[in-house]
Amino acid sequence: MDPFFVKGAQLFLSLSILIVLHEFGHFIPARLFKIRVEKFFLFFDVKFSLFKKKIGETVYGIGWLPLGGYVKIAGMIDESMDKEAMAQEPKEWEFRSKPAWQRLIVMVGGVTVNIVLGFFIYIMIIAIYGEEYSTADDLKYGFGFAPTMEQYGFEQGDKVLSVNGDPLEDQMDFPQMLMMRDVSKVTVLHENGTEEELTLPEDIGMELFKAGEMFGVNVPRTPVKLDSVFGGAKKAGVLETDELVSINDYPIKYKSDATYALQKEKDTVATITVLRDGAARQFDVNLGGEEFVGVGFSFLDEDYKMPKRHKREYGFGESITEGISYGYWVLHDYATQFKYVFTKKGASQVGGFGAIAGLFPDTWNWLSFWETTAFISIILAFMNILPIPALDGGHVMFLLYEMVTGRKPSDKFLEYAQMIGFFVLIALVLYANGNDIYRWITGG
């Protein structure tokens, strides 16, 4: 099946599960507090719905606009903007008639479900599949590092032994840790067999980001040779039968060397040196815009393409602890990455539904599906609790204000705030999905 449809099907199923459970997070406490829920919809039913059925006091249905879902809670200023109902005298079964603490529980219910669901999925994944890891010994040729990392004592081929005094259990965690966590003290094993403790600045992640050296680690090193030519290299005249010698005068022995060479010489032209019929030849490749170097590699060490992955198995009790810890760090890292989003470069990388669909694999794999679903669930929890009117976090913000000051914001104020928040969200959705379309058109 076409990968496009496989990714789309996984995205649709994942979001449907998460949206329904999120809305149940609002629905259940509302009903427990005897608040009437008038509608419960998967997707938005603007003008019409694909399906609806009234059961008791609630109309359940499926809308045609797949931008989320909602529950319409009686006596609440929400996306329905039901001003007529709000103009009437409050009824005892309406949201606005209940104590602030009950309204707060109703509003945080959806986010709570998303957090608990994400953690639960991780617990079950670890309980059923275990956890994979690679030790320093599994990195046969060590890591390739970005140029900025060399300023702090890292050498090409280093292996990471510990971070802040704690042994690094999985070598493949280090690139993510560099960008998202405190990695002030790192003990490495150099290729010559010596160990050294290196010190990194607190803002190393931002330094790498601004330098265009995402993650600071150019993946584990693997010996390669030139295998294919396309893009700029093909236009310049490089042949697949050439022996690649260097890029920008930096020798290319490992795959990570090519990335390093381009990071070190941030220029609009990349100089490729090859051997052809025993003679050295140089070709200049223009970069920028839609141009890229265009060299592909094949592995010289067929027994080592990526580090070996071991599996660690846990009992169910241990899985609970490990799953919660894993979920915590996923949430932590996602929240931390927003410091990159609020930069000119980071804003251009924000993605919409296309970027989310890209998280799923090209072929259906239940493990990957549930891992991605857990990740999206935590993303939804974090995004929904942001203090933006029209999101759960906006309602929570106003409720906390009411609980602290004893003064409830006026209905008119809440209506205006809801409208502003709604337009902000629409603008963000259009911007994010516009980025997806732009990257798809340009191949970026």
Side-chain angles (χ1 to χ4, degrees), residues 12 16 19-20 39-53 59-70:
F12 181 84
S16 297
I19 290 167
V20 168
K39 298 177 76 173
F40 187 120
F41 263 74
L42 169 64
F43 307 143
F44 292 109
D45 57 328
V46 182
K47 300 297 183 182
F48 69 94
S49 59
L50 300 178
F51 164 83
K52 64 179 178 179
K53 181 177 179 61
V59 176
Y60 299 86
I62 300 175
W64 63 270
L65 185 61
L67 294 179
Y70 71 99

Side-chain angles (χ1 to χ4, degrees), residues 100-101 103-104 108 385 387 392-407 409:
W101 68 269
R103 286 180 276 137
L104 180 63
V108 300
I385 206 61
D392 294 345
H395 293 287
V396 169
M397 175 177 63
F398 295 132
L399 281 167
L400 290 176
Y401 169 82
E402 178 184 346
M403 295 172 75
V404 171
T405 65
R407 297 192 301 273

Side-chain angles (χ1 to χ4, degrees), residues 188-424:
V188 299
L189 176 65
H190 295 306
E191 273 194 302
N192 61 12
T194 61
E195 293 184 17
E196 184 180 3
E197 184 180 77
L198 305 175
T199 302
L200 288 169
E202 185 178 348
D203 64 344
I204 182 61
M206 186 60 73
E207 186 176 345
L208 290 166
F209 183 78
K210 288 180 177 179
E213 301 170 10
M214 286 298 292
F215 300 110
V217 178
N218 298 329
V219 303
R221 299 199 300 175
T222 52
V224 293
K225 66 177 180 178
L226 185 65
D227 178 69
S228 59
V229 176
F230 48 93
K234 187 172 184 178
K235 289 181 183 178
V238 180
L239 303 178
E240 293 180 359
T241 53
D242 290 337
E243 179 183 341
L244 182 61
V245 176
S246 67
I247 296 177
N248 293 337
D249 294 326
Y250 188 81
I252 306 300
K253 181 179 179 182
Y254 303 97
K255 188 176 181 179
S256 60
D257 292 338
T259 304
Y260 175 90
L262 295 169
Q263 290 174 334
K264 194 169 181 63
E265 296 294 332
K266 297 178 175 67
D267 202 348
T268 56
V269 176
T271 301
I272 299 178
T273 303
V274 302
L275 283 179
R276 183 181 298 174
D277 299 327
R281 300 186 62 174
Q282 287 190 331
F283 301 88
D284 289 336
V285 177
N286 292 318
L287 305 177
E290 297 180 23
E291 293 292 340
F292 50 92
V293 174
V295 289
F297 301 101
S298 60
F299 298 99
L300 287 174
D301 187 343
E302 285 297 324
D303 296 326
Y304 183 84
K305 297 180 180 179
M306 284 293 286
K308 180 181 178 181
R309 300 294 279 171
H310 306 277
K311 181 176 284 189
R312 184 183 292 115
E313 308 223 347
Y314 297 95
F316 187 72
E318 295 174 307
S319 299
I320 294 175
T321 302
E322 291 298 320
I324 291 174
S325 174
Y326 189 88
Y328 165 79
W329 284 112
V330 169
L331 177 59
H332 172 279
D333 291 350
Y334 185 76
T336 301
Q337 60 91 34
F338 267 76
K339 66 183 179 183
Y340 304 117
V341 172
F342 294 114
T343 63
K344 183 178 179 180
K345 181 177 180 181
S348 66
Q349 297 177 6
V350 172
F353 290 111
I356 297 174
L359 297 173
F360 292 97
D362 291 341
T363 56
W364 198 286
N365 179 287
W366 281 111
L367 173 58
S368 296
F369 171 82
W370 287 117
E371 285 176 334
T372 306
T373 298
F375 178 57
I376 296 173
S377 188
I378 288 176
I379 290 176
L380 289 176
F382 179 80
M383 296 300 293
N384 260 294
I385 206 61
L386 293 176
I388 300 174
L391 290 177
D392 294 345
H395 293 287
V396 169
M397 175 177 63
F398 295 132
L399 281 167
L400 290 176
Y401 169 82
E402 178 184 346
M403 295 172 75
V404 171
T405 65
R407 297 192 301 273
K408 183 179 179 180
S410 69
D411 288 348
K412 185 61 67 177
F413 172 83
L414 293 176
E415 286 176 12
Y416 285 133
Q418 186 75 13
M419 285 189 290
I420 292 170
F422 180 76
F423 286 122
V424 168

Side-chain angles (χ1 to χ4, degrees), residues 149-168:
M149 298 295 288
E150 292 181 323
Q151 299 175 25
Y152 300 103
F154 286 85
E155 299 174 4
Q156 304 301 322
D158 281 350
K159 302 174 182 180
V160 180
L161 301 180
S162 67
V163 177
N164 297 338
D166 296 323
L168 184 64

